[in-house]
Amino acid sequence: AWYHATRHHLADAADIKNNASLRSLAHILVGKRMPRYGQIFSWLILREDTKNPYLHTFPILIPGNLCSNLRDLNIVDIDWAAKATPHHDFFTYLTFYESVLSLRLARCHFKDAKQLHKLVQSLPRLLSLSLDRVTFASESGFDTPGRNAHSHGPLEHLVEVTVSDDDNPSGNTGMHRNLLGFAVPSTSLSRLTLDVRYFVSSRELECFLVAFPALAWLQLQYDPPWSPSLRRAMPPHDHGEYEDRSRWPTYMPALRRLAITDMRSASAAWLLAWASTLWPCHSLENLSVSLSDIPSPELRETFTFLLCLSAATIKSIFWRSPITGELPRADRTRVADEGPPKISFRSAASAQG
């Protein structure tokens, strides 16, 4: 009996997997009139039960004002396009979750972008939105990536947006456009994580990113669908040789964090060089590269150039590849005193030989 009464309060995260778990928690908070227990949770994970959907009723059973310290809300595996749809009071009750600052949706399927927009808009203080493998049954919704047609409401106050897909995208550009529409250009949005495969060309990616005047953190994931060419990006050591001189000087804000993840070396080298033509990189505090193959000489040169360029401000360096493994992060004090560390790009076996 004691376990049933206390199992929801042993940690600050609640993981709900079915209707029975949801009603058990609701019984403790509401039925037993113990609302103070709801203040324990800072993280709520809701995993839809595909056989017996329940998630479309959760804010009605568990009022948001009983979870006043909840900051992170994770919703997984909902299908509101063909199966259970939200209760007609769902979005009204969701507005009482005023403490939620971060929403992560994973493997979720919606009728269209408008339905997802309504969900996001119902959280009045939302600052961070993550869309991971989110799909739509219909392409109707945003006509262009979040630039017109809708009253965006809380979307304009988002500080961080992540749009990614662990699986290989199907090439549905309409769906990708609707997902990217949730990154609304504003003076508040400063952190972006993007799946580069959503963009058909580097020009399209560039046009999307330059619309964010306050962007300071940028993470680019997966190999782009176009063929990268370092000659078309920028030689890392000589801005004067850059082909498209019309883009100089740049007035984009200085990046503080730049991350390239889950890419081949050629793509990573191109994107690092390309990014340094759009944003000043002399104030980088965090530089991160994660590769799926052996690092190329071009990538080594570009990575080293960026380290030297930001030696006065760099705080954290991350490097991972099949040949080097994961290298330890650099110490901020040592970097400031001694300059950027010397990184060996050789494997342990070759070093011993």
Side-chain angles (χ1 to χ4, degrees), residues 94-224:
L94 193 62
T95 60
F96 291 100
Y97 280 80
E98 296 181 354
S99 63
V100 173
L101 303 178
S102 174
L103 172 65
R104 181 178 183 269
L105 302 172
R107 299 191 301 273
C108 294
H109 188 52
F110 295 91
K111 178 181 178 182
D112 51 33
K114 293 180 181 178
Q115 190 179 52
L116 173 56
H117 181 267
K118 191 173 182 179
L119 171 62
V120 174
Q121 199 173 30
S122 298
L123 296 169
R125 295 183 58 207
L126 193 66
L127 297 178
S128 177
L129 173 64
S130 176
L131 305 175
D132 181 10
R133 288 162 288 178
V134 172
T135 57
F136 304 113
S138 169
E139 292 185 9
S140 65
F142 298 110
D143 296 328
T144 57
R147 272 63 175 173
N148 57 23
H150 289 268
S151 173
H152 300 298
L155 292 183
E156 297 178 349
H157 303 294
L158 289 176
V159 173
E160 181 176 10
V161 173
T162 297
V163 182
S164 64
D165 190 341
D166 289 345
D167 303 319
N168 189 27
S170 61
N172 189 331
T173 57
M175 183 185 69
H176 297 166
R177 184 171 62 249
N178 283 328
L179 286 171
L180 294 171
F182 287 87
V184 177
S186 69
T187 56
S188 61
L189 200 152
S190 60
R191 302 184 179 189
L192 266 178
T193 299
L194 296 175
D195 188 331
V196 181
R197 297 172 298 180
Y198 283 7
F199 301 88
V200 297
S201 67
S202 59
R203 181 62 179 171
E204 182 178 315
L205 176 61
E206 177 178 329
C207 290
F208 181 83
L209 290 174
V210 296
F212 300 95
L215 191 62
W217 289 46
L218 177 63
Q219 179 171 337
L220 301 174
Q221 298 177 318
Y222 307 115
D223 291 297

Side-chain angles (χ1 to χ4, degrees), residues 17-289:
K17 300 179 180 179
N18 51 50
N19 189 48
S21 297
L22 180 68
R23 292 185 176 276
S24 174
L25 179 58
H27 176 65
I28 294 174
L29 297 178
V30 182
K32 291 190 175 183
R33 298 184 181 277
M34 297 181 180
R36 66 184 183 277
Y37 287 123
Q39 299 176 7
I40 295 176
F41 304 124
S42 63
W43 192 298
L44 179 60
I45 305 173
L46 299 165
R47 308 178 192 271
E48 183 66 289
D49 184 350
T50 56
K51 295 182 179 179
N52 184 24
Y54 71 92
L55 206 145
H56 57 289
T57 63
F58 97 86
I60 303 171
L61 294 176
I62 303 179
N65 58 352
L66 297 183
C67 303
S68 58
N69 291 321
L70 184 65
R71 297 293 182 266
D72 297 279
L73 178 61
N74 285 17
I75 297 177
V76 184
D77 289 331
I78 60 173
D79 184 351
W80 286 354
K83 298 182 180 179
T85 57
H87 188 277
H88 63 276
D89 289 329
F90 178 93
F91 300 106
T92 301
Y93 279 89
L94 193 62
T95 60
F96 291 100
Y97 280 80
E98 296 181 354
S99 63
V100 173
L101 303 178
S102 174
L103 172 65
R104 181 178 183 269
L105 302 172
R107 299 191 301 273
C108 294
H109 188 52
F110 295 91
K111 178 181 178 182
D112 51 33
K114 293 180 181 178
Q115 190 179 52
L116 173 56
H117 181 267
K118 191 173 182 179
L119 171 62
V120 174
Q121 199 173 30
S122 298
L123 296 169
R125 295 183 58 207
L126 193 66
L127 297 178
S128 177
L129 173 64
S130 176
L131 305 175
D132 181 10
R133 288 162 288 178
V134 172
T135 57
F136 304 113
S138 169
E139 292 185 9
S140 65
F142 298 110
D143 296 328
T144 57
R147 272 63 175 173
N148 57 23
H150 289 268
S151 173
H152 300 298
L155 292 183
E156 297 178 349
H157 303 294
L158 289 176
V159 173
E160 181 176 10
V161 173
T162 297
V163 182
S164 64
D165 190 341
D166 289 345
D167 303 319
N168 189 27
S170 61
N172 189 331
T173 57
M175 183 185 69
H176 297 166
R177 184 171 62 249
N178 283 328
L179 286 171
L180 294 171
F182 287 87
V184 177
S186 69
T187 56
S188 61
L189 200 152
S190 60
R191 302 184 179 189
L192 266 178
T193 299
L194 296 175
D195 188 331
V196 181
R197 297 172 298 180
Y198 283 7
F199 301 88
V200 297
S201 67
S202 59
R203 181 62 179 171
E204 182 178 315
L205 176 61
E206 177 178 329
C207 290
F208 181 83
L209 290 174
V210 296
F212 300 95
L215 191 62
W217 289 46
L218 177 63
Q219 179 171 337
L220 301 174
Q221 298 177 318
Y222 307 115
D223 291 297
W226 63 86
S227 299
S229 170
L230 277 178
R231 187 181 63 85
R232 295 176 57 195
M234 183 195 73
H237 55 278
D238 189 351
H239 292 274
E241 297 177 15
Y242 177 56
E243 282 187 350
D244 189 358
R245 296 175 185 271
S246 64
R247 283 168 52 195
W248 288 92
T250 177
Y251 297 101
M252 296 296 290
L255 284 180
R256 291 188 289 113
R257 181 181 188 272
L258 178 58
I260 304 294
T261 61
D262 300 308
M263 290 188 189
R264 291 177 291 107
S265 182
S267 300
W270 188 91
L271 283 168
L272 283 178
W274 169 83
S276 65
T277 71
L278 283 181
W279 296 274
C281 293
H282 59 273
S283 299
L284 279 177
E285 298 177 0
N286 184 299
L287 181 59
S288 178
V289 172

